[in-house]
DNA sequence: TTAATATATTAGATTATTCGCATATAATAA
DNA sequence: TTATTATATGCGAATAATCTAATATATTAA
């Protein structure tokens, strides 16, 4: 297997390893939003939001479209959402495994 | 949406944001392997391999099983593989988009 | 042109990750 | 017990990521 795929995959996972960026992606799930809209939904300083957006745009995760003074961000490839859904299933299954384990230990 | 899911998702993506760890997961795709087997397949120092394995075990991505002196690692939840496949499709589509764009620019 | 609004960028302090190296533990064999 | 093989852990230096604060740019309106 070509090791460059691991580099690329690791790179994109690195982008995803920040909760605010994941929240942004989630907010864009059902369509584009302007920076302003995101900003009012998100409780982080505007500058910081722009930094996250910029990073995701550069790495091809988000697309942008300018309309007058506003810039609209959207998810470049909806498969990302699909991958996220599966990964969250994994997380939930991990949680329930953990809970079951915790119960077993308490009973024993 | 509960923001803890973003924390958790970011956490697991952080684990995945290292090419060597992704290579390990790939090597475990079709079944468990001992540390020794992984070590001979991977061109990294054994200590470093153990560090990566330990991290993935702690975060519930890998399971372990001891058999005598050997410890066998395996993928805890095969859905991880599924998520990886989709994410790699995204990466390949990004690449081809990029190539097409590069061509367009050269022609223009 | 100036002002106002929307968005992006830079710099620097802080914190987290990663690796190499040395060492530790665990199981088994002799 | 001692030796051997398999695996794990702790420490420290190098590097990278993240946030804040200040500032810059871009678009439109007046």
């Amino acid at each position: 297997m070509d090791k460059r795929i691991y580099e690329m995959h690791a790179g994109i996972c690195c982008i995803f390893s920040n909760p605010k960026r994941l929240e942004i992606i989630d907010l864009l799930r059902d369509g584009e939003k302007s920076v302003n809209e995101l900003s009012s939904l998100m409780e982080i300083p505007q500058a910081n939001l722009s930094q996250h957006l910029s990073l995701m745009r550069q790495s091809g995760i988000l697309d942008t479209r300018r309309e007058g003074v506003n810039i609209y961000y959207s998810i470049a490839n909806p498969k990302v959402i699909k991958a996220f859904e599966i990964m969250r299933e994994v997380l939930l299954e991990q949680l329930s495994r953990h809970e079951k384990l915790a119960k077993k230990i308490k009973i024993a």
Side-chain angles (χ1 to χ4, degrees), chain A:
Chain A
M1 168 71 82
D2 188 350
K3 286 182 187 173
R4 276 174 303 180
I5 192 70
Y6 302 131
E7 298 281 350
M8 286 174 49
H9 193 164
I12 206 169
C13 284
C14 187
I15 305 283
F16 295 143
S17 66
N18 177 293
K20 287 173 190 165
R21 288 198 284 269
L22 296 179
E23 189 177 355
I24 292 169
I25 292 173
D26 223 46
L27 289 170
L28 296 175
R29 262 182 84 109
D30 29 62
E32 60 175 23
K33 284 192 168 57
S34 70
V35 180
N36 223 346
E37 290 174 296
L38 289 171
S39 186
S40 64
L41 290 167
M42 274 197 63
E43 306 193 320
I44 55 171
Q46 175 273 321
N48 194 206
L49 174 59
S50 265
Q51 287 168 331
H52 288 305
L53 290 171
S54 161
L55 197 59
M56 290 197 280
R57 178 177 166 12
Q58 278 173 243
S59 46
I61 295 161
L62 301 183
D63 281 340
T64 56
R65 177 177 76 82
R66 165 158 243 148
E67 194 178 299
V69 89
N70 297 300
I71 295 181
Y72 291 89
Y73 279 82
S74 58
I75 294 170
N77 189 332
K79 280 189 182 174
V80 166
I81 298 293
K82 184 74 188 160
F84 277 23
E85 279 167 5
I86 296 173
M87 201 52 82
R88 285 177 194 179
E89 284 175 32
V90 171
L91 289 170
L92 294 179
E93 287 170 21
Q94 269 190 12
L95 272 186
S96 71
R97 261 213 299 174
H98 205 268
E99 278 168 23
K100 279 176 197 163
L101 194 65
K103 269 187 193 168
K104 265 193 190 170
I105 290 165
K106 276 174 197 162
I107 290 165

